[in-house]
Amino acid sequence: MVQEKAHPIIFTGNGWQYFKIYFVNIMLSILTLGIYSAWAKVRNKRYFYGHTSVAGSSFDYHAQPMQILKGRLIVVAVLVIYQVAVGFTPLIAPIFSLLLLFAIPFLIMRATKFNMQYSSHRQIRFNFLGKYPYVFLYFIVLPILSVFTLGLAYPYAIYKQKQYLSNMSKYGNSEFSFGGSSGEFFLTYFLATVLLLGLYALLLSSFNLIDAQAIQDFSKGFKEGLKASMEHNTTSLYANEKEAASSQVLMIVAGVYGFFIFNILLFSAFVNTRLTNYLFNNLELKGIRFSSHISFFKLLWIYVSNLVLIISTLGLFIPWAKVRAVSYKLSCMSIFSDELGGFISQESEKANVLGEEFSDFLDIDIGF
Amino acid sequence: MLKARLFDKQSSGFDEVTLEFCENELIIHTQDKSYNYAFDELKVSERLGDMPRSIYLGDERVCECEDNNSIDQELKKRRLSQGSRLIHHLESKSIYILPALVVTIAIVFIFLKYIVPYSAQKIAYSIPQDIASEIGTGTLQALDKVILNPSKLSSEKQEELRKDFTKMASALKDLPPLKLEFRFSSKVGPNAFALPDGTIVMTDQLVVLSQNNEELLSILAHEIGHIKNRHAIRMLFQNSAVLVVIATLTGDATTASSILSALPTMLIESSFSRELEAEADDYAMEVMKDRGIALHYFADIMTRLSEGHEESKDGEYFSSHPITSSRIAKFQE
């Protein structure tokens, strides 16, 4: 048997370089009234792909901006038609939602395929062979069914989704396979829930310790915030009062928001870390194994400090934040193989950009 | 001679090669062979950061080379296309970034501060009234559930005020059918607000605070000004336009950027509503003059309102915003 070799995944992007690319993208997108945003998207993606390398070769992204622009124009046209239609006959809205339920799996399928087909390593393209009935089953039916189990079966739905996405993915003509079981998914969501509940308990007890009044102030602040946002929809008699009220409650509302956002970050960092590690450690590609050892605490620190820095720099930190997060995650990953040269490419059919653009717009997150 | 990797696109294997740029062709040397390619067969990928360049050789084969600068030099010498150099030029020179940032921020600012309010106004006026009214339906019901309670005013007082209100309103043109509602609310305090469908809500506390009906009519005139100028709809469009701008800017709207988006929105909105208040004040002034209501009534009740607020809540917020006093001054002449 040949000696297996470890190839770390190396990310060579840096914040300042990406900062310049990011803001040139924004500026040109504005100057061209959004047309350049298609080119911007490709440059963004290519930057991250092109600065990620394994065994001396980097990844590449080959989508053509023109394709993406056409896709975007169609998406915008559909949304405008939808808006106008709903304006005239509001009944269309629920029908549209129902249609969307059936369209989402299709969009997920197309978007994944598009992204994979236009990604390459060593000039060999990736591919995705998912089929509609399965995507519909795992991404729509299972999550809906899990509602009836009070969410207890939700980890199983996620497990089936990840498994399907992995097993239907290809590099050249070789298939990925995910050998994990659902147990880890149940454990991860269970621990994440315990973590959140523990945090709430800690928060409540600390309120008791400091000042019982604090809880009242807290809930009062929340109601005031709600009130302020309700009044937002009406034109109040004097703007002054609104401003005063909003600056008064701003701190409290910011505190409440901050707490919720921290919870979301905590939950997603925890689930993300464990599932990504598990997925990669149990993934195989024709004798190649993967490994990932992302640390939850380090990732949480990166998320929280990124958020603080983004807010305090009014967004200027966004490019650094992206580079930081990607750079850390990739530095924890490596690939084990004896031979990376033996992959054969496959004749690929043209992928359609529409799914990708719709998913972009609807903010469908396809985690792989 | 440049080091590169030659891929045949059929498999993930590669050969280490050297590239030699000659007068009319590119020669690729492998260990034992060399291949010649005319320059017009080649396509070179665009430069982006430090990512390796792909040179597509026309026969399905590809060369990857990390020495971006040398490739650019060689291509330039031969006046060959290097992909879009301009964009890489902008992206790689630190000196352009500050102007780019300034231009970006200036454009966004001008757009949000002038173009959005202007077009929101144009759109608001172009919407037929019956559709405009639709937008506000349900708001009062929602408010009733959350912060408003039934009025405790006597029905005589309510009738009296409604009569005066209808008298004033019937003389006004280009308005949806107006309606006056009374509500009690310990949370809102003395206040009045207008909904886009023509409903004006006044709290009991405001009626108690007033010394005569003229004062209340002056405030109602101000609220009619909000309806007349379609302020609620303008704010609605303004807000959604701001959201669209932010989404376009950040592209991939993550949790972080969506929180961030709230900040500039709030800053711009507060000045927007100040302008709207001034507009409604001007309208109120006109109506009062027409109806023969002395202007000082509005000043009187506004003064009492702002005093009441200073007593009950922290006054410091108000002292830093002398807007109410300048608004009052306009009505004192």
Side-chain angles (χ1 to χ4, degrees):
Chain A
M1 182 163 165
V2 200
Q3 184 68 44
E4 252 189 3
K5 230 172 103 186
H7 303 279
I9 298 186
I10 295 164
F11 181 67
T12 50
N14 77 71
W16 176 235
Q17 195 174 40
Y18 180 58
F19 176 85
K20 291 182 280 187
I21 290 168
Y22 186 85
F23 275 97
V24 169
N25 275 346
I26 288 184
M27 187 189 66
L28 292 178
S29 298
I30 291 172
L31 289 177
T32 58
L33 301 173
I35 292 170
Y36 186 77
S37 68
W39 277 259
K41 179 180 167 160
V42 171
R43 283 188 93 76
N44 253 326
K45 274 208 137 132
R46 278 195 81 211
Y47 184 80
F48 281 96
Y49 280 54
H51 291 82
T52 305
S53 63
V54 181
S57 291
S58 62
F59 291 82
D60 203 349
Y61 181 71
H62 304 270
Q64 294 301 309
M66 261 310 186
Q67 287 175 290
I68 290 178
L69 185 65
K70 278 181 202 157
R72 287 203 170 170
L73 290 176
I74 294 175
V75 171
V76 169
V78 169
L79 288 180
V80 167
I81 291 169
Y82 166 73
Q83 280 296 338
V84 172
V86 167
F88 283 104
T89 35
L91 258 175
I92 288 179
I95 298 172
F96 188 80
S97 311
L98 197 71
L99 282 177
L100 199 62
L101 208 61
F102 290 93
I104 282 173
F106 183 72
L107 299 177
I108 291 175
M109 204 175 78
R110 281 300 193 75
T112 314
K113 193 172 178 70
F114 183 83
N115 270 323
M116 298 283 244
Q117 281 205 331
Y118 285 103
S119 304
S120 73
H121 184 249
R122 293 185 166 204
Q123 304 298 333
I124 302 284
R125 302 282 180 112
F126 292 82
N127 201 353
F128 177 71
L129 301 177
K131 294 273 178 294
Y132 181 86
Y134 292 99
V135 182
F136 183 72
L137 178 66
Y138 298 140
F139 284 84
I140 301 292
V141 178
L142 283 188
I144 288 177
L145 284 182
S146 80
V147 172
F148 295 107
T149 64
L150 298 172
L152 287 176
Y154 184 69
Y156 183 74
I158 299 293
Y159 161 70
K160 291 307 280 184
Q161 291 174 7
K162 300 269 181 201
Q163 189 191 41
Y164 191 70
L165 286 181
S166 313
N167 288 348
M168 290 297 120
S169 294
K170 290 179 89 173
Y171 174 61
N173 67 357
S174 310
E175 278 160 14
F176 282 90
S177 77
F178 172 57
S181 67
S182 61
E184 175 71 15
F185 286 75
F186 281 105
L187 185 64
T188 298
Y189 279 96
F190 174 71
L191 290 177
T193 313
V194 168
L195 193 69
L196 274 197
L197 290 178
L199 198 76
Y200 279 118
L202 202 72
L203 181 88
L204 287 179
S205 61
S206 67
F207 268 154
N208 277 329
L209 287 176
I210 302 163
D211 188 357
Q213 186 67 35
I215 296 177
Q216 273 184 12
D217 287 351
F218 187 76
S219 61
K220 192 178 156 218
F222 192 73
K223 274 187 211 149
E224 292 258 323
L226 191 74
K227 191 186 103 184
S229 62
M230 294 280 304
E231 280 179 358
H232 228 68
N233 288 326
T234 65
T235 36
S236 174
L237 175 57
Y238 24 45
N240 252 0
E241 193 223 28
K242 225 162 71 181
E243 273 172 38
S246 52
S247 40
Q248 214 176 19
V249 295
L250 196 66
M251 296 309 289
I252 305 166
V253 172
V256 175
Y257 270 128
F259 181 69
F260 283 124
I261 288 158
F262 180 71
N263 278 342
I264 293 167
L265 285 183
L266 188 84
F267 195 87
S268 65
F270 185 83
V271 171
N272 241 322
T273 312
R274 277 189 73 109
L275 292 189
T276 306
N277 285 345
Y278 188 71
L279 185 72
F280 274 84
N281 292 333
N282 290 282
L283 197 64
E284 221 196 283
L285 172 70
K286 206 182 137 194
I288 292 183
R289 290 188 303 109
F290 301 81
S291 94
S292 166
H293 297 283
I294 302 169
S295 143
F296 162 59
F297 289 106
K298 281 188 189 156
L299 191 67
L300 183 66
W301 163 244
I302 289 173
Y303 279 177
V304 171
S305 53
N306 272 353
L307 184 65
V308 171
L309 285 165
I310 286 174
I311 292 176
S312 53
T313 58
L314 290 174
L316 290 182
F317 191 73
I318 292 175
W320 272 281
K322 281 178 154 180
V323 166
R324 253 184 101 200
V326 169
S327 174
Y328 171 67
K329 283 192 208 166
L330 290 177
S331 74
C332 300
M333 297 177 174
S334 41
I335 287 173
F336 295 92
S337 89
D338 48 347
E339 170 63 28
L340 280 171
F343 289 94
I344 310 293
S345 81
Q346 196 179 35
E347 242 0 88
S348 61
E349 67 273 46
K350 270 262 177 289
N352 191 323
V353 70
L354 264 189
E356 159 73 358
E357 286 309 302
F358 266 107
S359 315
D360 241 25
F361 228 88
L362 299 167
D363 209 11
I364 297 172
D365 188 24
I366 306 130
F368 173 61
Chain B
M1 291 285 216
L2 297 173
K3 279 192 172 174
R5 291 174 154 189
L6 179 66
F7 293 90
D8 60 8
K9 255 195 166 176
Q10 304 304 312
S11 83
S12 59
F14 59 84
D15 289 322
E16 302 276 3
V17 297
T18 51
L19 305 181
E20 188 186 347
F21 284 86
C22 297
E23 195 66 30
N24 293 313
E25 54 189 7
L26 172 71
I27 308 180
I28 296 173
H29 300 283
T30 64
Q31 271 179 335
D32 42 9
K33 272 189 205 164
S34 52
Y35 305 95
N36 299 30
Y37 289 95
F39 282 123
D40 52 6
E41 288 175 52
L42 308 181
K43 229 185 117 224
V44 183
S45 68
E46 275 183 32
R47 183 163 182 181
L48 179 62
D50 297 325
M51 80 181 277
R53 287 296 256 294
S54 296
I55 304 171
Y56 299 93
L57 300 173
D59 57 359
E60 282 288 290
R61 295 204 288 183
V62 188
C63 260
E64 281 184 13
C65 176
E66 291 181 16
D67 195 345
N68 277 307
N69 287 334
S70 305
I71 289 186
D72 279 343
Q73 268 173 21
E74 297 289 353
L75 293 173
K76 203 174 171 188
K77 258 191 252 167
R78 290 166 184 77
R79 295 167 180 272
L80 295 168
S81 159
Q82 307 155 57
S84 166
R85 285 281 297 159
L86 176 70
I87 299 210
H88 172 71
H89 200 60
L90 285 175
E91 287 170 347
S92 57
K93 299 284 183 297
S94 307
I95 198 166
Y96 295 134
I97 282 306
L98 191 66
L101 269 181
V102 171
V103 169
T104 307
I105 293 168
I107 292 173
V108 173
F109 181 79
I110 291 170
F111 186 75
L112 292 181
K113 178 83 183 153
Y114 301 103
I115 298 175
V116 168
Y118 178 78
S119 26
Q121 188 181 357
K122 285 276 171 243
I123 293 169
Y125 286 124
S126 68
I127 293 177
Q129 183 57 54
D130 49 332
I131 293 175
S133 302
E134 288 278 310
I135 295 173
T137 8
T139 315
L140 187 60
Q141 284 92 319
L143 288 171
D144 274 338
K145 276 187 195 136
V146 191
I147 47 171
L148 300 179
N149 300 311
S151 172
K152 291 171 184 165
L153 293 175
S154 66
S155 50
E156 290 83 20
K157 182 74 187 169
Q158 290 194 20
E159 269 319 298
E160 184 193 322
L161 282 167
R162 274 213 186 90
K163 232 172 94 190
D164 287 352
F165 173 72
T166 321
K167 224 155 109 196
M168 175 170 78
S170 58
L172 303 171
K173 271 179 247 152
D174 297 332
L175 282 163
L178 297 172
K179 218 170 104 193
L180 178 59
E181 294 278 347
F182 296 96
R183 291 289 188 278
F184 176 83
S185 170
S186 53
K187 287 167 191 144
V188 180
N191 209 338
F193 48 83
L195 305 176
D197 63 350
T199 309
I200 295 173
V201 180
M202 188 177 259
T203 63
D204 293 359
Q205 287 93 327
L206 187 69
V207 179
V208 172
L209 187 78
S210 67
Q211 286 171 350
N212 47 56
N213 288 356
E214 280 78 8
E215 288 183 356
L216 293 175
L217 282 177
S218 72
I219 279 178
L220 289 171
H222 169 95
E223 292 306 323
I224 297 172
H226 281 310
I227 296 171
K228 164 92 183 172
N229 292 310
R230 306 202 166 184
H231 287 167
I233 302 164
R234 275 158 69 177
M235 271 174 85
L236 192 75
F237 279 111
Q238 163 104 355
N239 290 349
S240 37
V242 170
L243 278 180
V244 168
V245 169
I246 307 263
T248 320
L249 279 188
T250 52
D252 38 3
T254 54
T255 328
S257 57
S258 53
I259 305 154
L260 177 81
S261 66
L263 290 170
T265 321
M266 275 190 298
L267 293 177
I268 292 182
E269 243 168 43
S270 63
S271 77
F272 187 80
S273 50
R274 231 174 283 158
E275 279 157 29
L276 297 191
E277 293 307 326
E279 243 183 72
D281 280 353
D282 291 345
Y283 183 81
M285 204 183 272
E286 236 173 79
V287 172
M288 287 166 79
K289 279 177 186 161
D290 279 356
R291 304 285 310 157
I293 302 170
L295 293 184
H296 69 84
Y297 286 120
F298 188 73
D300 292 348
I301 191 156
M302 285 300 275
T303 313
R304 227 170 295 130
L305 270 167
S306 54
E307 277 165 5
H309 275 270
E310 267 171 57
E311 281 161 27
S312 63
K313 287 182 190 165
D314 306 26
E316 55 193 281
Y317 292 113
F318 293 97
S319 54
S320 62
H321 295 284
I323 301 135
T324 313
S325 56
S326 70
R327 281 175 63 192
I328 291 170
K330 263 205 296 190
F331 284 81
Q332 281 165 335
E333 290 160 311

